[in-house]
C-alpha cells in the first residue's frame, strides 16, 4: 500500500493478493483527519458540518495543491516558454485529465473548465441555445430543478421567444416519467435535468430520460452538481450530451467547475465569451477561434482552482466512488430513520432513490429558528428555500431544514442532529 | 440566561405563536410588502394613516419566530403613534439589534429583542417588519380599501 493512499484516509485498498476490497467501508475516522476545518469549535462545541450540499469542506490535499501551485509553479498558462509557464500549463492539463477520468469522458478536450455548474448551464443555454432554440421551440426541465437550471433557460426563452416546459413530480419528489415523456414534443429542442435534486435528494433516472430524449434526437444536459459527490458518474454510460458540475461540492475549491460536452456539439457551438486563449488568430477583419475546450475558456482561467479540483477528484477516486456512495447511502438511511422518528417531523422528499440530502420540517418550528438552535450546538445545516423555490411551492412550504452528508460525516453526527432537534423543540416549544 | 434563551424569550415565543394585529384592518390606505429572499419570510404591513398618525395597523404573512414576534410587537407599539415617533422607535430598535447602542432600556417592551445582537444572521429577521412599515409609511397613498 502506498503512503499516498494512507494519507487520503483510506483503509487498505488491496489485500495480500492485490485484489481490491471494493466492499470495505470508508475509514471515516481517518478521513476526518484529512479535513483541517473539522477540528474547529463552534460556540464552544465540536463542529458537526451537515451543510455539504451547499458546499463541502476541503481536504488537506486540496489546500496543499493550491498552496504548492502558488508557492512553486505560478505563471500564466499556454503562453510563456519559461519553465514556470510550462509547469503551470502541465498542472492545469493534468487537472483536466483527472476530471476526464472522474466522469469517464472519452477525451480531455471535452472538459471545459468553468466557475461552477451555474456557469456551465449558462454556457450551454447561450452558446448552444442561441443557434438551436428559436421562436416557438421548447426546452423541457423538471419541477425539481435548482434555480441555476431554470433561470438560464428562462433568459434564453426570453431572448429567442422559446417556451419552458416543466415536467411534474409526485408527492414523494419523484419525476413523473410518463408526464415527462408526454411533454417531449416536436418542438422540444433540449432537455435539462438534475441528476440529483438539491432540495429533495431525489436521484433522477437520467439514463432513461436520455433514452427517451434521444429517441427524438433531443440532446440532454444533466446538472450533476449534487450527484458527483455521491455517485460514480460515467458520461459515456449515461450517453448525456452535456454534464455540468461544481468543484466546490465535491471537496474542490469554490469557483471551479466543469462542463462536459459531446465533441460534435462542442465543436459546432459558437464561443461563449470572447477574449484571450479562445482564439487561433485575431485581426480586425477576422478572428478564428480555438478548438474546444479552449474556445470556451476566454481569459486567464482559475488555474489554481482547476488544480485544486484535480486534487479533490484524485482524493475521492482514491477513496473509491463506490465506497463513497455506499457511505452516503448508509448515513442517509440512518438519518432518515432517526429524524423521521421524531414526533412532528415531516420529511420533504421521500423518493425511493435518494442521495446526500435530508429535507424536513419539525412541527410548527420555522427552519430558520431550528437552524439557529442547531448552530448553537455546533451543528451546521441549511435552512431556507435551497434556491429551489418552485419545489418549496410544490410542497406548500416557504422553507425547509436540510441536512446533507459527506465522506467525513458519521452516525454519531446524525445522533447529534437528532439531539439538537429535540433541544430546539424544547427551546422553541 | 444562555444566549439562546435570551434570543428566544418567552415573550417573543408567545407573540410568534399568537401574533397581535395579525389581520388586514377594515380600512387601509398604505400597504407594503416585505420579503427576505434569504429565508423566504414574507409579510404585508397594512396601515390606516390619518395625516401623520397611525390610526390602525395590521400585518399578515409567514416567517420565523423572530420576524413574526417582531412584527406583532411593532404593530402594538406604533398604533396610535405619529409617523415620526414610529420612525424614532425603528431607529432605536435598529441600533439595539445591530449592537450599536445599549440594552434598549429606552425602548420599553422592545428590549426583549436585545438578544438578537448576539446573532448577526438574525438581524434581518428582527427588522423585516420594521423595514416594511417604513416602506408603507413612505409609500404613496393607495386607494382606500374598506372591507
Amino acid at each position: 500500500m502506498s503512503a499516498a493512499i494512507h494519507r487520503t484516509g483510506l483503509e487498505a485498498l488491496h489485500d495480500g493478493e492485490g485484489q481490491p476490497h471494493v466492499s470495505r467501508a470508508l475509514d471515516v475516522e481517518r478521513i476526518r483527519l484529512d479535513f483541517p476545518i473539522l477540528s474547529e469549535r463552534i460556540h464552544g462545541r465540536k463542529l458537526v458540518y451537515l451543510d455539504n450540499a451547499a458546499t463541502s469542506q476541503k481536504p488537506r490535499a486540496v489546500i496543499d495543491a493550491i498552496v504548492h501551485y502558488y508557492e512553486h509553479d505560478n505563471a500564466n498558462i499556454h503562453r510563456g516558454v519559461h519553465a514556470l509557464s510550462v509547469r503551470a500549463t502541465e498542472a492545469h492539463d493534468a487537472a483536466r485529465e483527472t476530471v476526464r477520468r472522474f466522469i469517464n469522458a472519452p477525451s480531455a478536450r471535452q472538459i471545459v473548465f468553468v466557475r461552477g455548474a451555474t456557469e456551465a448551464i449558462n454556457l450551454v443555454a447561450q452558446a448552444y441555445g442561441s443557434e438551436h432554440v428559436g421562436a416557438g421551440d421548447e426546452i423541457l426541465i423538471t419541477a425539481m430543478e435548482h434555480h441555476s437550471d431554470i433561470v438560464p433557460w428562462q433568459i434564453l426563452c426570453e431572448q429567442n421567444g422559446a417556451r419552458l416546459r416543466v415536467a411534474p413530480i409526485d408527492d414523494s419528489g419523484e419525476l413523473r416519467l410518463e408526464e415527462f415523456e408526454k411533454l417531449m414534443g416536436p418542438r422540444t429542442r433540449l432537455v435539462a435535468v438534475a441528476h440529483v435534486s438539491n432540495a429533495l435528494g431525489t436521484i433522477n433516472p437520467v439514463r432513461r430520460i436520455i433514452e427517451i430524449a434521444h429517441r427524438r434526437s433531443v440532446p440532454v444536459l444533466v446538472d450533476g452538481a449534487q450527484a458527483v459527490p455521491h455517485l460514480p458518474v460515467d458520461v459515456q454510460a449515461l450517453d448525456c450530451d452535456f454534464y455540468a458540475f461544481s468543484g466546490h461540492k465535491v471537496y474542490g475549491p469554490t469557483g471551479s467547475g466543469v462542463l462536459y460536452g459531446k465533441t460534435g456539439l462542442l465543436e459546432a457551438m459558437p464561443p461563449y465569451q470572447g477574449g484571450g486563449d479562445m482564439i487561433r488568430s485575431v485581426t480586425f477583419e477576422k478572428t478564428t477561434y480555438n478548438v474546444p475546450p479552449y474556445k470556451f475558456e476566454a481569459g486567464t482561467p482559475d488555474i489554481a482552482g482547476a488544480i485544486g479540483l484535480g486534487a479533490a477528484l484524485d482524493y475521492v477516486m482514491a477513496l473509491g466512488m463506490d465506497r463513497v456512495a455506499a457511505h452516503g447511502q448508509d448515513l442517509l438511511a440512518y438519518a432518515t430513520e432517526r429524524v423521521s422518528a421524531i414526533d412532528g417531523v415531516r420529511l420533504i422528499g421521500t423518493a425511493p432513490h435518494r442521495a446526500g440530502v435530508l429535507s424536513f420540517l419539525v412541527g410548527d418550528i420555522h427552519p430558520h429558528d431550528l437552524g439557529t438552535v442547531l448552530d448553537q450546538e455546533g451543528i451546521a445545516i441549511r435552512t431556507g428555500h435551497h434556491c429551489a423555490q418552485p419545489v418549496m411551492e410544490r410542497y406548500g412550504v416557504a422553507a425547509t431544514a436540510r441536512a446533507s452528508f459527506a465522506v467525513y460525516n458519521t452516525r454519531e453526527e446524525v445522533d447529534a442532529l437528532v439531539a439538537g432537534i429535540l433541544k430546539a423543540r424544547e427551546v422553541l416549544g | 440566561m444562555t444566549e439562546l434563551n435570551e434570543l428566544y424569550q418567552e415573550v417573543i415565543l408567545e407573540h410568534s405563536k399568537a401574533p397581535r394585529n395579525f389581520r388586514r384592518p377594515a380600512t387601509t390606505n398604505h400597504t407594503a410588502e416585505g420579503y427576505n429572499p434569504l429565508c423566504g419570510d414574507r409579510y404585508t404591513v397594512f396601515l390606516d394613516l390619518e395625516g401623520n398618525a397611525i390610526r390602525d395597523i395590521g400585518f399578515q404573512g409567514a416567517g420565523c419566530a423572530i420576524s413574526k414576534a417582531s412584527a406583532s410587537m411593532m404593530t402594538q407599539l406604533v398604533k396610535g403613534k405619529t409617523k415620526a415617533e414610529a420612525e424614532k422607535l425603528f431607529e432605536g430598535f435598529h441600533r439595539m439589534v445591530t449592537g450599536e447602542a445599549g440594552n434598549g432600556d429606552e425602548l420599553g417592551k422592545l428590549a426583549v429583542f436585545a438578544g438578537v445582537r448576539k446573532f448577526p444572521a438574525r438581524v434581518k429577521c428582527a427588522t423585516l417588519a420594521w423595514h416594511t412599515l417604513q416602506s408603507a409609511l413612505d409609500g404613496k397613498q393607495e386607494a382606500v380599501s374598506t372591507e
Side-chain angles (χ1 to χ4, degrees):
Chain A
M1 186 195 302
S2 79
I5 285 168
H6 245 310
R7 276 205 305 278
T8 60
L10 192 60
E11 270 197 359
L13 239 188
H14 304 286
D15 65 17
E17 306 294 316
Q19 295 302 310
H21 268 304
V22 180
S23 61
R24 193 170 290 183
L26 294 178
D27 181 351
V28 177
E29 284 317 309
R30 193 176 265 174
I31 287 173
R32 291 183 67 83
L33 299 175
D34 295 335
F35 289 79
I37 207 167
L38 295 181
S39 52
E40 282 294 301
R41 295 190 74 80
I42 305 294
H43 306 302
R45 307 292 186 105
K46 204 172 141 192
L47 167 66
V48 175
Y49 188 78
L50 299 176
D51 194 17
N52 296 285
T55 197
S56 62
Q57 299 301 345
K58 319 307 172 198
R60 172 67 69 197
V62 169
I63 299 165
D64 285 351
I66 294 167
V67 170
H68 183 274
Y69 167 73
Y70 279 125
E71 287 186 348
H72 299 285
D73 301 332
N74 179 57
N76 214 327
I77 54 170
H78 307 142
R79 283 169 177 72
V81 295
H82 60 78
L84 288 186
S85 178
V86 172
R87 273 176 10 206
T89 303
E90 281 172 0
H92 196 251
D93 288 347
R96 205 187 295 275
E97 170 56 24
T98 303
V99 174
R100 184 206 66 73
R101 223 160 17 97
F102 181 65
I103 57 172
N104 192 33
S107 161
R109 292 185 162 234
Q110 295 170 271
I111 305 299
V112 182
F113 281 127
V114 288
R115 284 189 297 132
T118 296
E119 186 172 51
I121 297 168
N122 276 278
L123 192 162
V124 174
Q126 289 303 309
Y128 181 83
S130 65
E131 299 212 328
H132 294 90
V133 181
D137 288 343
E138 294 175 353
I139 295 158
L140 179 56
I141 63 172
T142 81
M144 72 179 88
E145 299 309 310
H146 185 280
H147 293 168
S148 63
D149 201 31
I150 301 172
V151 183
W153 307 118
Q154 287 176 325
I155 291 172
L156 174 66
C157 287
E158 199 145 298
Q159 286 166 342
N160 293 9
R163 189 170 163 217
L164 192 61
R165 305 299 302 270
V166 183
I169 57 177
D170 67 18
D171 289 342
S172 77
E174 209 170 35
L175 178 66
R176 294 174 61 188
L177 207 55
E178 69 293 351
E179 295 297 320
F180 171 86
E181 196 159 2
K182 277 186 212 155
L183 283 165
M184 289 278 317
R187 300 305 298 265
T188 310
R189 292 290 174 264
L190 190 80
V191 168
V193 58
H195 197 165
V196 172
S197 156
N198 76 305
L200 303 169
T202 310
I203 304 174
N204 269 320
V206 283
R207 184 72 201 89
R208 287 192 61 196
I209 289 169
I210 291 163
E211 275 171 17
I212 292 167
H214 282 183
R215 262 185 255 137
R216 295 165 170 83
S217 302
V218 174
V220 178
L221 176 144
V222 178
D223 171 3
Q226 297 293 344
V228 291
H230 300 294
L231 309 172
V233 172
D234 180 334
V235 291
Q236 295 189 70
L238 289 177
D239 198 27
C240 55
D241 301 276
F242 298 105
Y243 198 93
F245 69 93
S246 297
H248 72 97
K249 292 189 200 288
V250 60
Y251 312 108
T254 50
S256 67
V258 169
L259 172 68
Y260 156 84
K262 281 188 178 166
T263 301
L265 293 170
L266 291 178
E267 279 175 353
M269 277 155 63
Y272 174 51
Q273 294 175 327
D277 225 28
M278 54 74 71
I279 47 81
R280 267 274 155 72
S281 72
V282 176
T283 67
F284 287 115
E285 289 70 41
K286 169 90 184 142
T287 290
T288 53
Y289 303 125
N290 208 334
V291 294
Y294 313 109
K295 181 166 72 173
F296 303 107
E297 295 179 354
T300 298
D302 184 351
I303 302 165
I307 291 167
L309 173 57
L313 300 183
D314 276 334
Y315 181 84
V316 289
M317 283 192 282
L319 296 178
M321 282 308 293
D322 287 335
R323 280 187 288 187
V324 168
H327 175 70
Q329 286 300 312
D330 175 69
L331 270 185
L332 183 58
Y334 183 65
T336 303
E337 183 194 321
R338 294 281 335 258
V339 173
S340 61
I342 299 170
D343 199 26
V345 161
R346 174 188 172 198
L347 296 185
I348 304 290
T350 50
H353 301 291
R354 289 182 296 128
V357 162
L358 187 68
S359 232
F360 58 95
L361 293 166
V362 183
D364 293 334
I365 297 174
H366 193 281
H368 221 149
D369 296 313
L370 175 63
T372 290
V373 176
L374 292 177
D375 178 56
Q376 290 296 302
E377 301 291 306
I379 303 166
I381 62 159
R382 173 83 186 266
T383 61
H385 54 54
H386 318 297
C387 295
Q389 286 179 358
V391 174
M392 299 296 108
E393 213 166 288
R394 166 69 176 73
Y395 287 92
V397 299
T400 74
R402 181 187 71 182
S404 52
F405 306 102
V407 291
Y408 39 72
N409 290 128
T410 63
R411 285 182 167 219
E412 289 70 33
E413 290 180 308
V414 173
D415 295 339
L417 171 68
V418 170
I421 294 169
L422 295 176
K423 168 146 194 199
R425 284 209 321 196
E426 208 175 285
V427 172
L428 303 166
Chain B
M1 202 174 348
T2 67
E3 287 185 359
L4 206 54
N5 290 330
E6 202 183 328
L7 178 69
Y8 291 111
Q9 296 197 30
E10 202 53 49
V11 182
I12 289 178
L13 292 174
E14 196 270 320
H15 269 268
S16 78
K17 283 167 193 160
R20 319 296 197 272
N21 300 309
F22 195 61
R23 61 185 168 80
R24 186 189 173 104
T27 306
T28 66
N29 46 31
H30 284 64
T31 61
E33 199 176 311
Y35 177 52
N36 182 345
L38 180 75
C39 55
D41 290 359
R42 191 187 288 275
Y43 293 103
T44 307
V45 169
F46 306 97
L47 291 178
D48 176 9
L49 274 186
E50 188 179 32
N52 271 329
I54 300 171
R55 194 160 57 186
D56 201 0
I57 179 169
F59 80 105
Q60 288 181 330
C64 64
I66 304 297
S67 64
K68 192 173 265 184
S70 176
S72 170
M73 291 183 70
M74 174 190 81
T75 59
Q76 281 191 312
L77 283 165
V78 303
K79 199 165 169 177
K81 295 225 166 33
T82 66
K83 187 179 174 205
E85 286 167 338
E87 284 170 347
K88 189 153 179 282
L89 265 181
F90 180 21
E91 199 183 306
F93 180 76
H94 196 272
R95 285 160 60 86
M96 176 184 71
V97 296
T98 54
E100 277 177 51
N103 299 325
D105 290 341
E106 76 288 358
L107 290 169
K109 287 167 95 176
L110 288 179
V112 295
F113 288 98
V116 172
R117 71 203 144 143
K118 302 270 178 55
F119 296 82
R122 306 305 300 276
V123 170
K124 280 186 176 165
C125 308
T127 56
L128 177 60
W130 287 93
H131 283 292
T132 312
L133 168 65
Q134 184 71 62
S135 160
L137 287 169
D138 293 342
K140 289 206 174 90
Q141 181 131 346
E142 275 193 357
V144 178
S145 118
T146 308
E147 290 178 348

